[in-house]
């Protein structure tokens, strides 16, 4: 046996004896690594004469190939064995309960906005939006509220400072041109103006969103939600308004016995103007919508304002009042959410208390749809 054969046999048995991948790698480095003995043998070929080299090379190459094959084979078998033992030791018990993951819930206001959109979409209404930071012109002037209108007063409306104190970008009349001072919109009605200016007539839209007034007590929060409705066409009249609101409230409250009362009122942007009341009764300390408000045990509750769009508003928005007319309404979303889902304190809506949300919130899987019902309960 040559010296080479002896060393090869030693290497092969060490490889066979390796009990894990780390040991196997040691053997690889010892034989085939840069300074491994096989590599040194190969290197030594360079110092031989061509004849000697021709003699010695095939044997060394063969040893190198045999050791490399042995290492590869051993590696495969070690890996297979490792997998086998992992499979044998790790079992997954599919009957164990899954770890609980905390789930958020949909705020009733968001849920009700989705319900609104769903019901009005079925009546052919699109959903429009506008900025919450509005300017004086869209929020008041174009809605026919002149400079002296009381709602324009500082104690009702959150205005932005007239100009940035550091001389930076100003929100002053000068900076915004014709549009006037910047403010937090006090109602969703400026979306009427923006939509008509953008798309002209006819119009059939709702605009749900946040509004702000400098007001805070048990039934008023400085931020609350409204949904605006606007229908402009050639011969829209108050009858359409009443039918639309009745149809909406029947679907929303899922009751056929909804009775609305349109009570004469005044808004600068509608003429005539009416306030919308709904009949309700008190059942076990809870207000339940339904029935005629003048019946025994019933009363009326105001849900919002509405009326025929004042021709001056159409003019401001660039729509010809000789050709077009229509109605608008504004409803308090928080109020109809409270009525439907039985909360009694408006302030709790915006406290962000997770316990309240867990109780009154909705599962993200309870998407309101007309076919499945817009009235899922928490
Ligand atoms: N914008 C009015 C408000 O906030 C409500 C309203 C909207 C009235 C549309 C008439 C028409 O009080």
């Amino acid at each position: 046996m040559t010296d080479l054969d002896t060393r090869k046999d030693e290497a092969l048995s060490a490889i066979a004896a390796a009990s894990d991948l780390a040991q196997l790698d040691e053997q690889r480095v010892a034989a085939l690594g840069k300074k491994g003995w096989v590599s040194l043998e190969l290197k030594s070929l360079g110092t031989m004469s061509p004849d000697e080299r021709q003699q010695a090379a095939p044997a060394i190459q063969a040893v190198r190939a045999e050791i490399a094959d042995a290492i590869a084979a051993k590696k495969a078998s070690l890996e297979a064995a490792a997998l086998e033992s992992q499979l044998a030791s790790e079992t997954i018990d599919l009957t164990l309960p899954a770890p609980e993951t905390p789930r958020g819930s949909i705020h009733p206001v968001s849920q009700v906005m989705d319900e609104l959109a769903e019901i009005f979409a079925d009546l052919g209404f699109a959903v429009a939006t506008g900025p919450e930071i509005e300017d004086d012109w869209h929020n008041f002037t174009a809605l026919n509220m002149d400079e002296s209108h009381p709602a324009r007063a500082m104690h009702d409306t959150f205005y932005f400072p007239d100009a940035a104190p550091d001389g930076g970008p100003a929100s002053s009349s000068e900076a915004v041109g014709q549009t006037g001072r910047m403010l937090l919109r006090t109602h969703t009605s400026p979306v009427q103006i923006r939509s008509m200016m953008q798309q002209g007539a006819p119009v059939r839209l709702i605009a749900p969103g946040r509004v702000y007034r400098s007001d805070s007590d048990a039934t008023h929060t400085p931020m609350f939600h409204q949904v605006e409705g606007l229908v402009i066409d050639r011969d829209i009249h108050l009858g359409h308004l009443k039918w639309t609101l009745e149809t909406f409230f029947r679907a929303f409250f899922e009751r056929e016995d909804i009775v609305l009362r349109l009570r004469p009122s005044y808004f600068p942007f509608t003429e005539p103007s009416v306030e919308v009341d709904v009949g309700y009764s008190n059942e076990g300390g809870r207000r339940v919508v339904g029935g005629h408000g003048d019946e025994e045990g019933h009363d009326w509750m105001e849900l919002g304002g509405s009326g025929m769009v004042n021709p001056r508003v159409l003019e401001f928005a660039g729509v010809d009042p000789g050709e077009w007319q229509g109605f608008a309404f504004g409803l308090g979303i928080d109020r109809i959410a409270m009525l439907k889902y039985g909360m009694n304190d408006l302030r709790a809506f915006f406290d962000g208390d997770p316990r309240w949300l867990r109780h009154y919130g909705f599962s993200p899987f309870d998407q309101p749809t007309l076919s499945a019902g817009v009235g899922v309960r928490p």
Side-chain angles (χ1 to χ4, degrees):
M1 228 190 188
T2 65
D3 192 32
L4 193 62
D5 283 337
T6 314
R7 297 197 73 173
K8 181 192 79 180
D9 286 347
E10 278 169 13
L12 288 179
S13 48
I15 289 166
S19 59
D20 59 32
L21 289 169
Q23 281 181 20
L24 181 63
D25 204 52
E26 274 171 31
Q27 293 308 316
R28 183 190 61 78
V29 173
L32 307 180
K34 241 192 191 150
K35 290 182 182 143
W37 66 270
V38 179
S39 308
L40 294 179
E41 289 285 348
L42 283 168
K43 225 181 241 170
S44 73
L45 290 174
T47 63
M48 295 178 187
S49 70
D51 278 353
E52 284 174 328
R53 192 181 306 136
Q54 213 161 32
Q55 275 271 307
I60 298 174
Q61 297 287 16
V63 165
R64 201 193 72 89
E66 207 176 328
I67 290 180
D69 287 350
I71 289 174
K74 181 70 181 179
K75 187 169 182 227
S77 88
L78 281 176
E79 282 172 347
L83 183 62
E84 279 302 323
S85 78
Q86 192 186 5
L87 287 175
S89 66
E90 284 179 13
T91 51
I92 301 173
D93 184 352
L94 294 173
T95 66
L96 283 175
E100 218 176 304
T101 30
R103 238 193 300 132
S105 60
I106 306 290
H107 195 285
V109 169
S110 304
Q111 183 79 10
V112 164
M113 285 191 183
D114 287 347
E115 295 176 8
L116 287 165
E118 184 67 17
I119 297 169
F120 277 108
D122 199 47
L123 298 175
F125 286 65
V127 173
T129 55
E132 287 170 33
I133 298 176
E134 245 317 347
D135 56 66
D136 189 86
W137 190 83
H138 288 90
N139 194 83
F140 293 128
T141 311
L143 288 159
N144 197 33
M145 295 162 94
D146 64 35
E147 292 297 334
S148 65
H149 196 280
R152 297 182 85 134
M154 294 288 286
H155 54 84
D156 282 329
T157 300
F158 293 114
Y159 287 94
F160 283 81
D162 229 7
D166 60 357
S171 62
S172 68
S173 347
E174 173 196 3
V176 290
Q178 290 303 302
T179 54
R181 289 181 70 182
M182 302 306 285
L183 47 83
L184 293 176
R185 69 178 180 190
T186 61
H187 49 183
T188 41
S189 300
V191 185
Q192 290 186 31
I193 305 298
R194 290 185 177 275
S195 302
M196 286 191 281
M197 292 179 85
Q198 208 170 47
Q199 67 175 74
V203 179
R204 201 186 293 184
L205 61 83
I206 59 165
R210 294 189 194 99
V211 301
Y212 305 82
R213 285 181 205 173
S214 182
D215 217 354
S216 188
D217 59 39
T219 53
H220 296 91
T221 49
M223 185 279 300
F224 60 105
H225 299 83
Q226 284 188 334
V227 58
E228 195 78 8
L230 178 67
V231 174
I232 302 291
D233 212 318
R234 291 179 198 278
D235 36 38
I236 293 293
H237 54 72
L238 268 186
H240 294 122
L241 167 68
K242 187 156 193 241
W243 179 88
T244 302
L245 289 176
E246 262 170 14
T247 303
F248 162 68
F249 281 121
R250 285 188 183 144
F252 180 75
F253 288 116
E254 298 180 299
R255 292 180 72 117
E256 282 304 309
D257 64 343
I258 299 291
V259 182
L260 295 184
R261 178 177 75 174
L262 301 189
R263 186 164 35 84
S265 184
Y266 173 76
F267 299 101
F269 33 92
T270 46
E271 182 57 36
S273 301
V274 287
E275 244 145 330
V276 183
D277 299 336
V278 67
Y280 74 97
S281 60
N282 244 309
E283 285 173 25
R286 206 190 133 179
R287 290 173 165 190
V288 178
V289 173
H292 196 285
D294 291 340
E295 270 170 40
E296 182 66 26
H298 285 64
D299 207 347
W300 297 106
M301 186 183 339
E302 186 200 319
L303 295 182
S306 61
M308 297 302 294
V309 176
N310 191 315
R312 292 194 39 121
V313 171
L314 298 177
E315 266 167 28
F316 272 118
V319 168
D320 178 5
E323 197 179 341
W324 304 98
Q325 63 182 40
F327 66 76
F329 60 82
L331 304 172
I333 292 183
D334 314 290
R335 180 167 284 198
I336 63 174
M338 288 168 83
L339 269 178
K340 182 168 180 179
Y341 293 115
M343 310 83 165
N344 47 30
D345 190 348
L346 177 63
R347 288 169 299 190
F349 270 60
F350 312 121
D351 279 349
D353 185 333
R355 292 166 301 178
W356 188 90
L357 274 172
R358 265 195 297 278
H359 183 77
Y360 288 111
F362 292 81
S363 158
F365 299 113
D366 283 340
Q367 277 295 314
T369 62
L370 283 177
S371 52
V374 289
V376 273
R377 283 190 181 274

